[in-house]
Amino acid sequence: MNCSLIRFKDIGDEIEGFLIPIEAERNVTFQIKRVYYIYGVKQDVIRGYHAHKSLEQVLICVNGSVKIKVDDGTETEIITLDKPHTGCYIGPGIWREMYEFSQNSVLLVIASAFFDENDYIRDYNDFVQYKKTQKI
Ligand code: TYD
């Protein structure tokens, strides 16, 4: 699975609080082109339902918790993000669904490219077909 957890180094302590620097091509492996965040999601909402052809992303739940189902067309995994020091790298060709957003959760997303709707695969059957063509 082209997907892995990153444990960011947090600087500080439990009295003073923590700081986490994120640096392109260092603790995030790609050149950062875009950052966005998702908040205010009601608990029964599922977001995502898409894959990207070439985009790389790191997702960090900087407040609260969220679950992410990742699917490479062969296997699925469920990842819980509930610590601001833990990121989830998701590479190209991974279908993802984000759900069980806790109240007040904020999901920060760091991305390798500017927004491009043409990079999305938004239909699951198209995704399955796309993965088959990638294997040839
Ligand atoms: P989408 O990526 O589908 O969100 P999610 O996977 O969390 O459900 O994006 C939702 C909408 O926002 C869609 O209309 C595209 C738009 N959008 C942008 O305009 N710029 C961006 O950088 C992103 C990520 C989305």
Side-chain angles (χ1 to χ4, degrees):
M1 182 86 68
N2 195 7
C3 189
S4 54
L5 287 179
I6 308 167
R7 170 60 158 99
F8 292 110
K9 187 173 157 37
D10 39 7
I11 303 166
D13 59 52
E14 274 164 22
I15 309 290
E16 302 285 326
F18 295 97
L19 179 155
I20 297 183
I22 292 177
E23 297 183 302
E25 296 177 294
R26 291 191 170 172
N27 54 357
V28 162
T29 52
F30 49 79
Q31 260 201 351
I32 297 167
K33 283 278 186 66
R34 179 166 51 114
V35 173
Y36 61 91
Y37 44 96
I38 296 168
Y39 62 97
V41 184
K42 294 275 183 256
Q43 205 159 0
D44 54 354
V45 168
I46 305 179
R47 298 191 59 124
Y49 283 118
H50 67 255
H52 286 281
K53 294 174 198 160
S54 62
L55 190 72
E56 295 179 275
Q57 293 177 307
V58 172
L59 283 65
I60 305 165
C61 194
V62 292
N63 191 55
S65 64
V66 65
K67 286 187 182 161
I68 307 167
K69 186 169 136 190
V70 286
D71 175 349
D72 65 3
T74 306
E75 50 173 351
T76 64
E77 274 177 37
I78 291 170
I79 293 158
T80 301
L81 286 182
D82 58 2
K83 292 179 186 72
H85 60 58
T86 302
C88 175
Y89 169 83
I90 303 183
I94 303 285
W95 185 267
R96 86 288 310 271
E97 294 170 18
M98 293 91 81
Y99 61 103
E100 284 184 28
F101 285 81
S102 69
Q103 210 185 358
N104 297 326
S105 61
V106 181
L107 181 63
L108 177 72
V109 183
I110 296 163
S112 65
F114 297 128
F115 176 72
D116 176 10
E117 188 61 43
N118 293 321
D119 190 63
Y120 280 76
I121 306 168
R122 290 196 181 272
D123 180 274
Y124 190 77
N125 292 326
D126 291 349
F127 169 69
V128 172
Q129 284 306 117
Y130 176 80
K131 294 303 278 188
K132 280 184 190 157
T133 61
Q134 295 297 103
K135 279 188 191 142
I136 296 166

